[in-house]
């Protein structure tokens, strides 16, 4: 198995999930960078950048790796879609397949410089963008927390904001289980995520007989372990990540 270098600390968690998953597929499939380059049309230097978190792989590269490594392409493409939102790059801006990397032109160098300069801004608005997408899909309920009082506010003049409270009211609707926190069936969740979708999964894990810890909407180690136990019982890939297949197991 490859000895991987640590990923950049500033890498967005959603991009990190994709890169970690791609590394696992490469290791489990016994794929070398040279073989990936020969079979996918993307150069070895491109795959080095993809697997080190320095560049977002194109959708076609992710799908090709899934086929070569014998992994579920639907799961990998779902992770790629979420990572692309965080990265802030449209598909047409991603690197095209090539047997070898072409020399960097002045135009491309300028484009890379501009993209690097916008990363900080993209990270700052990523949470707001994801919230807007979820509201559009009608799959989540946004909870707006009150603004914290400033340092100049007199003691006792404002109440401290309280963490959101979630309840588990499991009921079967149209042949599927819902706990009252979210109706999503395709959100990709992993360690570090938080919100009503995580609380929904925690409630359904309890309903299925697994212990995710407190239903607090935070995806921690207890929740990850419960997800793995559910995946093992359901015959799914045991990776501790909730995707469309795991949601199906939770809701049925």
């Amino acid at each position: 198995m490859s000895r991987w270098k640590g990923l950049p600390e500033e890498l967005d968690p959603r991009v990190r999930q994709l890169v970690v998953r791609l590394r696992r597929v490469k290791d489990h499939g016994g794929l070398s960078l040279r073989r990936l380059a020969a079979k996918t049309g993307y150069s070895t230097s491109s795959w080095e950048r993809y697997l080190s978190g320095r560049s977002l792989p194109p959708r076609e590269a992710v799908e090709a790796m899934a086929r070569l490594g014998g992994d579920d392409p639907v799961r990998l493409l779902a992770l790629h879609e979420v990572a692309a939102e965080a990265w802030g790059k449209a598909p047409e801006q991603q690197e095209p397949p090539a047997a070898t990397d072409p020399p960097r032109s002045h135009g491309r160098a300028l484009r890379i410089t501009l993209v690097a300069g916008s990363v900080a801004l993209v990270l700052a608005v990523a949470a707001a963008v994801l919230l807007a997408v979820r509201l559009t899909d009608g799959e989540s309920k946004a909870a707006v927390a009150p603004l914290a009082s400033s340092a100049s506010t007199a003691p006792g003049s404002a109440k401290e904001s309280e963490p959101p409270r979630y309840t588990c009211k499991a009921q079967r609707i149209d042949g599927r289980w819902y706990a009252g926190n979210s109706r999503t069936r395709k959100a990709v969740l992993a360690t570090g995520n938080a919100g009503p979708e995580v609380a929904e999964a925690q409630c359904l894990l309890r309903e299925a007989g697994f212990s995710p810890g407190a239903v607090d909407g935070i995806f921690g180690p207890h929740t990850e372990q419960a997800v793995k136990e559910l995946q093992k019982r359901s015959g799914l890939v045991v990776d501790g990540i909730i995707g469309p297949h795991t949601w199906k197991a939770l809701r049925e």
Side-chain angles (χ1 to χ4, degrees):
M1 181 176 293
S2 303
R3 296 179 61 87
W4 295 104
K5 294 182 179 179
L7 295 173
E9 293 183 1
E10 66 274 12
L11 194 65
D12 188 279
R14 288 158 290 181
V15 180
R16 183 184 298 272
Q17 291 176 27
L18 173 65
V19 175
V20 170
R21 185 68 186 179
L22 290 175
R23 287 180 171 187
R24 291 178 181 174
V25 174
K26 178 183 179 299
D27 288 342
H28 293 168
L31 302 172
S32 65
L33 294 179
R34 182 174 298 179
R35 185 182 178 192
L36 283 172
K39 295 293 185 179
T40 66
Y42 294 87
S43 65
T44 55
S45 59
S46 293
W47 280 111
E48 287 176 354
R49 291 195 297 274
Y50 303 155
L51 297 173
S52 64
R54 292 185 290 117
S55 181
L56 183 70
R59 178 185 174 89
E60 293 77 9
V62 172
E63 187 174 7
M65 173 176 269
R67 291 197 307 268
L68 290 173
D71 199 57
D72 182 5
V74 174
R75 183 184 300 273
L76 272 179
L77 292 176
L79 289 175
H80 179 271
E81 182 178 354
V82 175
E85 292 178 3
W87 193 274
K89 289 181 66 176
E92 59 270 21
Q93 294 175 307
Q94 297 173 1
E95 184 178 358
T100 56
D101 285 341
R104 295 189 176 185
S105 65
H106 293 293
R108 183 175 182 183
L110 177 60
R111 184 175 63 185
I112 293 175
T113 301
L114 292 174
V115 171
S118 65
V119 167
L121 178 60
V122 170
L123 292 176
V125 302
V129 171
L130 183 59
L131 178 60
V133 171
R134 287 175 175 174
L135 288 174
T136 301
D137 291 341
E139 291 188 350
S140 67
K141 302 175 182 178
V144 180
L147 294 175
S149 58
S150 64
S152 61
T153 304
S157 62
K159 294 182 179 179
E160 295 183 358
S161 60
E162 297 181 356
R165 296 179 180 178
Y166 301 103
T167 59
C168 294
K169 298 180 180 179
Q171 57 181 324
R172 199 161 180 82
I173 302 174
D174 295 331
R176 296 187 178 89
W177 284 103
Y178 295 93
N181 297 299
S182 173
R183 298 181 67 85
T184 184
R185 284 190 286 159
K186 62 180 181 179
V188 178
L189 303 175
T191 300
N193 289 140
E197 293 85 359
V198 177
E200 179 78 3
Q202 290 171 330
C203 289
L204 295 178
L205 284 166
R206 279 189 174 183
E207 188 68 23
F210 303 100
S211 177
V215 179
D216 53 6
I218 300 174
F219 201 123
H222 293 296
T223 302
E224 181 181 12
Q225 181 60 36
V227 170
K228 288 181 177 179
E229 291 173 1
L230 170 72
Q231 291 171 332
K232 183 177 180 180
R233 189 181 74 178
S234 303
L236 301 174
V237 175
V238 180
D239 57 7
I241 298 174
I242 300 178
H245 295 290
T246 303
W247 276 117
K248 182 178 180 182
L250 282 170
R251 296 213 181 273
E252 291 185 347

